[in-house]
Amino acid sequence: MGSFLDNVWSGAKSAAENVGKFAGGVADYSKLKIDISDKKRKLEDKYKKLGKLVYAYKVNGCENDEEILALIEKITAVNSEIDCSEAKIADLQEKIKCSDCEFFNDKDANYCKKCGSKIEKPVFECEVVEEAEETEAEEKAE
């Protein structure tokens, strides 16, 4: 009888661990999706600021590209963070994104099912880029 109860206990423990892993994966997925949405909102704000800054410079005849280049660097950094989060989601789903057509293929695929391109296994070194202070140029553009 003790062996039977030990087997039941072991099975229940194993099931609880599997449910815990699944729940953790769902939570990670949800956090990443929220993070991507937040970053896309910030990205839209930065694009608007960039447009306003370029417009203001053209109207006023300014030739100072430093502020524009600084804002472009921030946009590039946010885009990289989004790409990294999307790669993490694909990894959680055991998928890999084709760099040519952006179709999500099985993780072990060598060629894209949609376009036939060779799939390169990405190596992302994700960094968290701290949000820098807004430059005076960005504030002027608003």
Side-chain angles (χ1 to χ4, degrees), residues 46 70-79 132-135 138:
K46 291 187 184 317
L71 192 51
I72 289 172
E73 269 187 43
K74 289 179 184 180
I75 289 170
T76 302
V78 173
N79 275 322
E133 295 284 327
E134 298 295 321
T135 63
E138 290 177 67

Side-chain angles (χ1 to χ4, degrees), residues 19-38:
V19 168
K21 286 179 187 176
F22 177 76
V26 170
D28 290 344
Y29 175 83
S30 297
K31 286 178 189 176
L32 287 167
K33 289 299 262 186
I34 291 169
D35 183 54
I36 289 170
S37 292
D38 289 343

Side-chain angles (χ1 to χ4, degrees), residues 39 42-43 46-47 50 68-84 124 127 129 131:
K39 285 185 168 96
K42 287 180 184 177
L43 194 58
K46 291 187 184 317
Y47 281 131
L50 179 61
I68 291 173
L69 294 175
L71 192 51
I72 289 172
E73 269 187 43
K74 289 179 184 180
I75 289 170
T76 302
V78 173
N79 275 322
S80 294
E81 291 174 12
I82 290 170
D83 289 344
C84 186
F124 283 102
E127 303 177 6
V129 179
E131 187 69 26

